Amino acid sequence: MRTFVDSVTHWDRVFLNTIFSLNGKRLISAVMPWMSHSGNGYYYPAIPLILYFIEPRIAGAFFLCALLSFALELPLYKILKQKIKRDRPCEVLSRVCGRVSPSDQFSFPSGHTAAAFVMATLLSYFFPLLSMPLFTWAFLVGFSRIYLGVHYPTDILAGMVIGLLCALSGL
């Protein structure tokens, strides 16, 4: 009889293999590394600065919310990675190769996805009209991590939840 964890692992692998097998589609192969890179976080500190020039009256509030949100998200995702120690799919599944070099050893949860959902949630709060493109971008960051072979779907789901909850706490 299958346990809940066995069932989740089974579906994780089914979805991962489906997404990973999209290889060969030129547009997807070209876009996914860029989507993943956009979630690295290097650009996040520039957002409050840009807001200062575009919408100075909200830049300070955005900065404080982002600071608090990331002060929650970063330690939480790092603690979970070290406690759970889930190996990356490209390390344990023979049909999955890593198409990028992961930034650390373990896969659960996805830090890229968590950070992207923090930014999407915060920016959507301050700019509601941009919600759809922002959350689409955040979702694609997570999707790219599966496509690139470094995360399972549940890693992405956990990153989404962590990012949303930390951003809402920051707000």
Side-chain angles (χ1 to χ4, degrees), residues 64-154:
L64 290 175
C65 289
L67 199 61
L68 182 55
S69 298
F70 281 109
L72 296 169
E73 181 266 333
L74 283 167
L76 179 58
Y77 115 84
K78 286 182 183 243
I79 288 168
L80 286 171
K81 274 200 190 247
Q82 291 306 309
K83 290 284 183 199
I84 295 170
K85 296 185 178 184
R86 184 182 200 185
D87 289 324
R88 293 187 181 273
C90 58
E91 299 293 325
V92 295
L93 301 176
S94 60
R95 294 180 29 194
V96 176
C97 62
R99 295 176 175 142
V100 294
S101 295
S103 55
D104 55 33
Q105 183 179 359
F106 301 116
S107 75
F108 185 92
S110 169
H112 279 75
T113 306
F117 271 84
V118 164
M119 290 308 295
T121 304
L122 294 178
L123 286 167
S124 291
Y125 176 81
F126 288 98
F127 301 97
L129 290 175
L130 296 177
S131 293
M132 186 62 79
L134 288 165
F135 281 106
T136 299
W137 164 76
F139 176 79
L140 286 172
V141 167
F143 182 87
S144 73
R145 304 298 288 166
I146 300 168
Y147 175 82
L148 296 170
V150 293
H151 283 290
Y152 293 96
T154 51

Side-chain angles (χ1 to χ4, degrees), residues 43-57:
Y43 311 111
Y44 297 158
I47 293 174
L49 184 61
I50 293 167
L51 287 178
Y52 179 76
F53 292 107
I54 296 172
E55 288 285 339
R57 57 190 171 78

Side-chain angles (χ1 to χ4, degrees), residues 12-62:
D12 237 2
R13 289 182 177 186
V14 167
F15 289 125
L16 172 96
N17 285 327
T18 301
I19 293 167
F20 191 78
S21 69
L22 293 173
N23 190 27
K25 310 282 190 261
R26 283 189 194 171
L27 180 61
I28 293 173
S29 295
V31 170
M32 288 301 117
W34 181 85
M35 287 306 303
S36 176
H37 182 74
S38 74
N40 281 354
Y42 301 126
Y43 311 111
Y44 297 158
I47 293 174
L49 184 61
I50 293 167
L51 287 178
Y52 179 76
F53 292 107
I54 296 172
E55 288 285 339
R57 57 190 171 78
I58 65 165
F62 177 85

